[in-house]
Amino acid sequence: MNVLNTKFATEMVGTIANMYRLGWNERNGGNLTTLLTPSEVEEVLSPKQVLREIPLNFDAKPLAQKFFMVTGSGKYFKNVENAPTEVLGVVQVSECGKKLNLLWGLENGAVPTSELPSHFMSHIVRLQQDENHRIIMHCHPTNLIAMTFSHSLQEEEITKTLWEMSTECLVVFPEGVSVVPWIVPGTNEIGKATSAKMAAARLVIWPHHGIYAAGCSLDEAFGLIETAEKAATIYTAVCAQGGKKQTITDSELNDLGKAFGVVPRKGILKI
């Protein structure tokens, strides 16, 4: 079987194409990494057949020997369907945690996304929360970014607004959203800040930039962003229409959580 015929590769290509079509990943913006199981990889690749080694500028020892499919640095998501071996790669973290072994893809000397430290740091934290964790997804949803210019960046306040915009939101992300300060992207600093927030939430907003999502599947991570962005779009429309005249009340949101068996993040609902 060819790598491109595997379930993990076809799902990755399809998700990336959808992200581009939704306007979440303009030009070479955004990145995506998927943690693969050894059986998924070894069905089509040999870990002993290393195409080249790629150095890491941070210590990924907690992920030693793990396999990932990653997007490449500077790669345009719009090209993933026609040139997947240039946009994507399969890598294994070395035993020492200081380099990657490239097993497939990233052709023509390409390297993984510059946000790989942020991804790996978040993978490490999310695996501590959920052993089934697999996905870190970063993109630039228009209305969520717009909210970071016009709305309070206090986590409790922006979470409450998103919950109020759509009944679905509290059910989908009852832990709310987290927010980091504006930090230069592609740095270990933003990776550390993001991963620290990932301990409590699967959605982390980068103000004036985009959002990070974690999930046990591509559908979960994609759906988290999709739901939050829909709520932000509704918020944008409500503001354009003159602001709220009514909303879902705290009591109603609490009842919603009970009905769906989820616990809303503490300190947000005033009941």
Side-chain angles (χ1 to χ4, degrees):
M1 182 188 294
N2 183 283
V3 170
L4 291 174
N5 293 329
T6 62
K7 181 180 179 182
F8 68 80
T10 55
E11 287 184 345
M12 189 88 157
V13 169
T15 299
I16 289 171
N18 280 335
M19 293 168 75
Y20 173 74
R21 292 185 187 112
L22 286 167
W24 295 358
N25 294 89
E26 73 293 337
R27 199 173 182 270
N28 63 317
N31 25 77
L32 177 61
T33 56
T34 297
L35 173 60
L36 304 173
T37 65
S39 60
E40 285 177 314
V41 174
E42 292 168 4
E43 184 179 14
V44 289
L45 295 168
S46 170
K48 295 181 180 179
Q49 294 181 353
V50 178
L51 301 179
R52 55 188 161 93
E53 295 181 349
I54 302 171
L56 289 174
N57 65 348
F58 74 105
D59 187 0
K61 181 73 172 179
L63 299 174
Q65 303 296 291
K66 293 190 180 298
F67 300 96
F68 293 87
M69 178 165 264
V70 303
T71 53
S73 178
K75 300 302 178 182
Y76 289 39
F77 275 22
K78 71 181 182 65
N79 296 330
V80 72
E81 292 173 310
N82 294 325
T85 57
E86 295 182 11
V87 176
L88 300 171
V90 174
V91 299
Q92 183 180 29
V93 179
S94 68
E95 190 171 357
C96 69
K98 296 292 183 67
K99 62 182 179 179
L100 301 173
N101 294 326
L102 177 64
L103 305 180
W104 176 89
L106 293 179
E107 292 181 344
N108 301 316
V111 296
T113 168
S114 62
E115 300 291 358
L116 195 63
S118 294
H119 279 248
F120 276 2
M121 291 177 197
S122 288
H123 278 296
I124 291 167
V125 170
R126 287 309 305 172
L127 284 167
Q128 293 169 353
Q129 312 304 314
D130 186 347
E131 64 180 9
N132 296 313
H133 163 82
R134 291 292 180 270
I135 310 297
I136 294 295
M137 181 181 292
H138 171 55
C139 59
H140 306 155
T142 302
N143 291 284
L144 278 167
I145 295 173
M147 277 188 76
T148 69
F149 288 93
S150 62
H151 193 284
S152 163
L153 293 179
Q154 292 296 315
E155 293 177 349
E156 294 80 6
E157 293 178 11
I158 197 165
T159 292
K160 178 72 174 300
T161 294
L162 292 173
W163 284 356
E164 290 177 338
M165 291 299 105
S166 172
T167 301
E168 186 181 32
C169 287
L170 183 140
V171 177
V172 173
F173 48 96
E175 74 273 31
V177 298
S178 291
V179 183
V180 298
W182 189 93
I183 305 172
V184 175
T187 62
N188 286 4
E189 183 184 2
I190 199 168
K192 291 175 183 177
T194 303
S195 62
K197 295 291 187 178
M198 280 283 179
R202 295 165 295 159
L203 286 170
V204 180
I205 293 174
W206 287 9
H208 324 318
H209 182 143
I211 194 166
Y212 256 59
C216 296
S217 67
L218 285 165
D219 279 349
E220 181 186 356
F222 185 95
L224 283 167
I225 297 173
E226 188 176 33
T227 304
E229 171 65 0
K230 180 64 174 288
T233 304
I234 295 168
Y235 172 78
T236 301
V238 168
C239 290
Q241 292 173 7
K244 293 185 295 183
K245 298 282 192 302
Q246 52 274 325
T247 191
I248 308 173
T249 67
D250 285 22
S251 178
E252 290 167 340
L253 286 169
N254 189 57
D255 290 343
L256 180 66
K258 290 180 179 178
F260 282 86
V262 298
V263 179
R265 178 172 170 172
K266 292 182 179 179
I268 295 180
L269 301 182
K270 310 302 181 186
I271 54 172

